[in-house]
Amino acid sequence: MAAANVNAWGGVAQLLPILVLLWLILLWQVFTHIIAASLIYILGLGLLTLSAMLPSLSCLNQERSSMSAPESLVHMQVILFFVALYLVGIGLGGHKPCVQAFGADQFDQEDPIESKAKSSFFNWWYFGVCGGGLLGIGVMSYVQDNF
């Protein structure tokens, strides 16, 4: 069941940019879409944080020996977790096709200096994305193993 959930979320996050790009071409401007996708992404991250805190919120007034959460609260936590996870996937899928294109639109293709700067922009963009992911996974692994 966990593998099916991970694959479904990965499919939403990876395939949604294609649908979003078509929607963007028909309805919205790039900047407006970036703002909307960012707000959905932030909402999803906030709800994901809340879903992780939900059992501890119910146990704040209970003794440490009886830290079990009520069944309905656990069910609500699972629902909130999946809603938050898919909001993050939707926000991420809406963000991916727009930010790079918006950054590339800042350069004039006819100017040779700006054309070279545009290439440099994409190099630094992908370096930041890959380096950030590598650093994030490395730091989180270190924290998990040592703390």
Side-chain angles (χ1 to χ4, degrees):
M1 187 167 134
N5 287 327
V6 167
N7 288 334
W9 182 81
V12 167
Q14 298 297 323
L15 294 176
L16 195 60
I18 297 168
L19 298 174
V20 167
L21 189 59
L22 294 173
W23 180 43
L24 176 66
I25 290 170
L26 296 174
L27 298 176
W28 284 7
Q29 294 179 351
V30 174
F31 185 72
T32 307
H33 188 79
I34 290 171
I35 296 296
S38 297
L39 290 175
I40 292 171
Y41 186 72
I42 290 169
L43 176 67
L45 290 176
L47 289 176
L48 198 59
T49 303
L50 182 65
S51 75
M53 293 174 46
L54 203 54
S56 63
L57 291 176
S58 70
C59 299
L60 286 177
N61 296 328
Q62 296 179 0
E63 295 178 9
R64 288 229 177 242
S65 62
S66 61
M67 291 291 283
S68 62
E71 183 72 29
S72 62
L73 192 59
V74 172
H75 186 64
M76 185 176 148
Q77 179 191 16
V78 170
I79 291 171
L80 185 63
F81 173 74
F82 280 108
V83 167
L85 202 57
Y86 279 95
L87 281 175
V88 168
I90 290 168
L92 186 63
H95 203 264
K96 279 182 183 180
C98 300
V99 175
Q100 295 169 348
F102 186 69
D105 285 344
Q106 308 307 310
F107 299 97
D108 182 16
Q109 189 66 28
E110 303 300 322
D111 186 8
I113 294 172
E114 287 195 18
S115 180
K116 188 175 181 180
K118 185 177 185 177
S119 176
S120 179
F121 165 76
F122 282 111
N123 289 337
W124 282 106
W125 174 270
Y126 282 109
F127 175 76
V129 168
C130 295
L134 179 66
L135 184 64
I137 291 171
V139 168
M140 289 307 296
S141 296
Y142 177 79
V143 167
Q144 185 178 4
D145 287 344
N146 296 310
F147 297 105

